[in-house]
Amino acid sequence: MIKIQTLATGSKGNCYHIDDDSTQLLIEAGISFKQIQQGINFQTSKIEGVLISHEHLDHSKGVQGCLQRGMTIYMSAGTKSAMGLENAQIRTVKSKQQFHIGTWTILPFDVQHDVHEPLGFILQSDNGGKLLFATDTYYVKYRFKGLSHIMIECNYDQQTLDENVESGRVHPAMRKRVMQSHFGLENLLGFFAANDLSKVEEIHLLHLSDNNSNEARIQQAVARATGKMIYIP
């Protein structure tokens, strides 16, 4: 059984605790190490690896703190280079080359974002369950089978973003940037329609924008389209 705990999500920081009852992981470390400690009741010694999707601070702010406490960090070579890190506890991973941490088999895949080498992840547990994690991407070109859990970005919905541009709250240039670097509701519905959701137990919608998203509208639309349990942390 896969258990998911969101420690933080959104532009102020992202960090997620994943547990299959054998091996505990963090996905992202976009908050301070102190906040990570508090979020998991100071049980950081049980964390066997930290996956980082890309170098933006809201996903990597706590990496140095994790390294100083002896945690092993997994990221792409592009992300490592962009962060200027040199540390033996960093393992560089590549798209489409799987690796193992405890009872997890992890397959990174490339996503679309305005950074050096961003990754999404598929995590298959020996104990059962298959989790998709994808954030900070406007599109996922791959198709997936056998997923039991989905953690995916839904940063904005087009109606709210357009209303913000028309009212002057968002500059027109920012609308283009948001649409070319983040998953919106409309693209997300297309993603769900293109993938096999027959075994999916729950969907976690991540990284909602404070200004450009309408949570109720997003939750209703995704629930109606998928018929699944929806969580918006």
Side-chain angles (χ1 to χ4, degrees):
M1 179 179 178
I2 295 176
K3 290 177 281 191
I4 298 167
Q5 179 189 3
T6 296
L7 306 185
T9 188
S11 59
K12 296 180 181 177
N14 296 272
C15 188
Y16 311 94
H17 177 251
I18 311 298
D19 185 3
D20 67 352
D21 291 326
S22 295
T23 303
Q24 298 183 28
L25 305 175
L26 291 180
I27 306 180
E28 313 289 33
I31 54 179
S32 70
F33 187 76
K34 182 178 180 180
Q35 290 174 299
I36 293 172
Q37 286 179 306
Q38 292 171 339
I40 57 174
N41 295 319
F42 298 89
Q43 301 293 308
T44 52
S45 62
K46 295 181 179 180
I47 302 299
E48 297 191 28
V50 184
L51 310 179
I52 301 296
S53 66
H54 66 286
E55 64 267 29
H56 283 164
L57 278 180
D58 58 327
H59 298 259
S60 66
K61 179 181 178 181
V63 165
Q64 287 284 11
C66 291
L67 289 170
Q68 289 169 3
R69 272 71 175 187
M71 300 169 80
T72 303
I73 313 290
Y74 299 78
M75 63 177 66
S76 71
T79 298
K80 177 184 174 185
S81 176
M83 294 182 67
L85 293 173
E86 286 298 336
N87 191 301
Q89 294 161 218
I90 296 176
R91 307 281 189 269
T92 57
V93 298
K94 295 182 178 179
S95 176
K96 303 175 190 175
Q97 293 187 11
Q98 70 179 29
F99 61 98
H100 301 274
I101 306 175
T103 48
W104 295 98
T105 298
I106 301 167
L107 180 68
F109 58 89
D110 53 293
V111 297
Q112 319 302 314
H113 196 43
D114 54 352
V115 290
H116 287 76
E117 192 180 355
L119 296 173
F121 303 99
I122 290 286
L123 299 93
Q124 175 87 54
S125 170
D126 293 346
N127 300 337
K130 186 176 182 180
L131 185 154
L132 166 70
F133 179 86
T135 189
D136 290 58
T137 182
Y138 65 90
Y139 176 67
V140 174
K141 63 184 177 182
Y142 302 108
R143 300 293 176 262
F144 306 97
K145 295 181 179 179
L147 298 175
S148 60
H149 296 70
I150 295 176
M151 300 175 67
I152 195 162
E153 174 183 46
C154 189
N155 184 261
Y156 68 95
D157 64 273
Q158 197 65 53
Q159 181 178 336
T160 302
L161 179 59
D162 289 345
E163 289 172 352
N164 284 337
V165 173
E166 291 168 7
S167 68
R169 295 184 64 192
V170 172
H171 191 280
M174 182 57 71
R175 172 167 57 184
K176 182 177 180 181
R177 194 267 172 183
V178 168
M179 293 175 62
Q180 291 180 344
S181 60
H182 289 281
F183 235 139
L185 173 62
E186 291 71 18
N187 281 351
L188 189 57
L189 294 177
F191 171 84
F192 288 136
N195 280 275
D196 175 15
L197 304 183
S198 59
K199 296 182 180 179
V200 171
E201 300 170 12
E202 52 190 62
I203 296 172
H204 295 245
L205 300 177
L206 313 177
H207 211 313
L208 270 67
S209 167
D210 290 339
N211 298 322
N212 296 323
S213 67
N214 181 310
E215 182 176 325
R217 179 185 299 145
I218 288 171
Q219 181 154 20
Q220 291 170 8
V222 175
R224 185 167 54 245
T226 65
K228 303 297 182 181
M229 183 67 73
I230 309 299
Y231 295 95
I232 300 180

